[in-house]
Amino acid sequence: MFRRTFLATAVAAALALGTVGAQAADIVGTAVKNGNFTILVAALKAAGLVETLEGKGPFTVFAPTDDAFKKLPKHVLDELLKPENKDRLVKILTYHVVAGKVLSTDLTAPVTTPKTVEGSKLWIDVDKSGVRVNQAKVVTADIVTSNGVIHVIDSVLIPIF
């Protein structure tokens, strides 16, 4: 029942974003078109990662919404977006990316631990209450793009520095 509901939510999200029946945009284009990822897109630009996530891929991105970024203290986000903190910003953003395309249907166990582009592992937990990536809740899954997939999360993932 849970997987069916999860899949229905994913299909609804894809339809809402216009990615079913039409040529899907890449990850960045999909995020821009959605409108709920303006802070993420600004951070990707500041980190110099836009071109990478517009590339061939495939990538899986656990994408925090603007509301997720607003949970961070404002001074933290302001500091991260400064050019002198680019390395730290890259580390945080690449912690949200897994090489390859991981759909919700690919999760075969209650816990999955894929390695991120940053180099650390994520803890993906699936149970009857939903899917969590570390402590972030997946609010929309399986937004398929031309070069991967986006899973929308409600919190920013922070790697251990």
Side-chain angles (χ1 to χ4, degrees):
M1 178 67 173
F2 168 73
R3 286 201 187 260
R4 194 173 334 159
T5 303
F6 198 60
L7 188 56
T9 302
V11 170
L15 287 169
L17 288 173
T19 58
V20 173
Q23 177 63 32
D26 60 47
I27 288 169
V28 176
T30 300
V32 168
K33 184 178 177 181
N34 179 278
N36 290 316
F37 302 104
T38 58
I39 298 171
L40 175 61
V41 172
L44 290 171
K45 287 178 182 176
L49 294 173
V50 169
E51 188 174 295
T52 300
L53 291 177
E54 289 176 333
K56 184 177 179 181
F59 305 104
T60 297
V61 176
F62 296 97
T65 62
D66 289 343
D67 287 340
F69 275 100
K70 289 175 184 174
K71 289 179 182 180
L72 296 174
K74 183 169 174 21
H75 72 277
V76 170
L77 184 58
D78 291 345
E79 284 297 312
L80 285 172
L81 294 174
K82 290 181 178 178
E84 61 267 24
N85 295 321
K86 181 178 177 181
D87 290 344
R88 192 170 198 194
L89 181 60
V90 167
K91 185 172 179 77
I92 291 169
L93 293 174
T94 56
Y95 186 62
H96 290 77
V97 180
V98 173
K101 187 175 180 180
V102 181
L103 297 169
S104 62
T105 54
D106 296 329
L107 302 175
T108 57
V111 175
T112 305
T113 55
K115 187 174 181 180
T116 68
V117 172
E118 176 268 338
S120 302
K121 289 187 176 184
L122 295 173
W123 182 270
I124 301 175
D125 186 21
V126 180
D127 64 26
K128 64 182 177 183
S129 68
V131 177
R132 290 205 171 275
V133 180
N134 295 356
Q135 297 302 313
K137 182 177 182 181
V138 175
V139 293
T140 305
D142 297 336
I143 300 172
V144 177
T145 70
S146 64
N147 64 343
V149 63
I150 297 172
H151 301 291
V152 181
I153 56 175
D154 70 350
S155 301
V156 177
L157 305 173
I158 306 292
I160 297 172
F161 286 96

